[in-house]
Amino acid sequence: MSTVTELSDTTASTAPPTRSAAAKWVHDTRAVFVREFLLILRDPFTLIFSLLQPLVFLGLFGPLLDGMMGGADLGGGSALQWFLPGVLVMIAIFGTGMVGGNLLYELMTGAYERILATPLYRSSILVGRALKEFAPLVVQALLITVVAIPFGLAFYPLHVLVGLMILGVFGVGLGSLSYALGLASKDREWVFWGVQQSVIFPLLLLSGMMLPLEAGPGWMQAISKVNPLTYIVDAERTLFSGTLWDSTVAWGAVAAVATCVIGVWVGIRRVNRTI
């Protein structure tokens, strides 16, 4: 009897400790992120193209904006200080908005069902995939910023880091919404792309990303006030201008967190209904 008791005690002492729910969620999210990110590294052409595209966009559009707006409208600074944050927001939008598009391919091949068979948190699948789409943005942002410095861009490392964190939180929410849209449009791929394009482009234009909205009509300015992307863009521009403690940055953070909470909630509900 004592031998059995000792064996039981030894087994209990050598058994692996039970992982907490929070630790398991972090582990699952990391596992999904690593799996998805390795797929990007196996396709170097796509990665290189994603790095070169914003540079081309910035190089061609930036000088036009600089000549149109002039240094006086920007406090004597370069137009890149105003335009570059908008480019980063645009990259984040198109990147995380593709989460649902990639999901459609996995639905057709049956890979998604195999993922659901694993003991992963559903929220980890959403967040991990959104972070995978957001990760290249960090590299893109650093590359674009470094390239733009010789052309008059003032670089504030801490402010850029805070801006990327805001974009990351916002990207998780948008990626989760894209994920839910992909599930909702299963077997109807045209629905996903139609809704995505019909929503993203108006949101970008009505956020003042490419051109200032101050000179626009009143109705356009009124709609921009209820566009969460407007507050994200304004926060990024404030940070890139060298200001950290400002109400604009706070409102941008609030818009990012709200989008993240709503997006993950909608995404999880859609995943649970799909199973």
Side-chain angles (χ1 to χ4, degrees):
M1 183 71 179
S2 60
T3 304
V4 175
T5 305
E6 292 176 0
L7 181 60
S8 176
D9 294 340
T10 304
T11 304
S13 62
T14 58
T18 304
R19 184 181 298 163
S20 66
K24 185 180 185 305
W25 185 88
V26 173
H27 177 271
D28 291 351
T29 302
R30 178 180 176 275
V32 174
F33 170 77
V34 171
R35 173 188 179 274
E36 297 293 328
F37 194 71
L38 287 177
L39 297 177
I40 297 179
L41 297 180
R42 293 171 185 170
D43 187 11
F45 176 78
T46 302
L47 183 61
I48 294 174
F49 180 77
S50 66
L51 294 176
L52 293 179
Q53 187 181 23
L55 290 176
V56 174
F57 190 84
L58 190 65
L60 295 179
F61 202 93
L64 295 176
L65 187 66
D66 203 6
M68 182 183 66
M69 297 181 65
D73 296 330
L74 300 167
S78 170
L80 291 175
Q81 210 75 39
W82 183 90
F83 184 63
L84 180 60
V87 173
L88 297 183
V89 174
M90 181 186 68
I91 297 172
I93 291 292
F94 284 110
T96 55
M98 284 296 297
V99 173
N102 297 332
L103 174 63
L104 289 175
Y105 176 77
E106 292 192 355
L107 287 171
M108 291 187 295
T109 60
Y112 178 69
E113 285 75 9
R114 291 193 292 271
I115 294 176
L116 290 182
T118 61
L120 292 171
Y121 279 121
R122 300 299 178 248
S123 57
S124 295
I125 300 176
L126 298 173
V127 176
R129 291 185 173 220
L131 289 177
K132 182 268 295 188
E133 300 294 344
F134 175 76
L137 171 64
V138 178
V139 181
Q140 291 174 341
L142 295 177
L143 178 61
I144 295 173
T145 302
V146 171
V147 171
I149 289 176
F151 298 94
L153 178 74
F155 180 50
Y156 304 95
L158 177 60
H159 302 68
V160 172
L161 177 61
V162 174
L164 290 176
M165 292 176 61
I166 293 177
L167 281 180
V169 174
F170 178 76
V172 169
L174 182 63
S176 300
L177 290 174
S178 176
Y179 197 93
L181 178 60
L183 290 175
S185 56
K186 181 181 179 181
D187 301 326
R188 294 172 295 174
E189 188 175 351
W190 61 270
V191 173
F192 173 83
W193 296 113
V195 173
Q196 187 210 43
Q197 300 300 316
S198 300
V199 172
I200 285 182
F201 280 105
L203 286 178
L204 287 174
L205 294 176
L206 292 174
S207 67
M209 185 212 75
M210 302 184 69
L211 293 172
L213 291 176
E214 288 75 7
W219 64 267
M220 185 175 290
Q221 297 184 33
I223 295 178
S224 69
K225 298 298 183 182
V226 296
N227 180 9
L229 198 57
T230 301
Y231 301 95
I232 303 294
V233 173
D234 290 343
E236 297 297 321
R237 286 182 175 143
T238 300
L239 289 168
F240 271 74
S241 68
T243 302
L244 184 59
W245 303 108
D246 189 85
S247 60
T248 305
V249 178
W251 279 114
V254 170
V257 172
T259 303
C260 182
V261 172
I262 294 174
V264 172
W265 180 76
V266 172
I268 293 176
R269 283 178 59 87
R270 189 66 210 184
V271 170
N272 292 334
R273 289 183 178 180
T274 304
I275 300 173

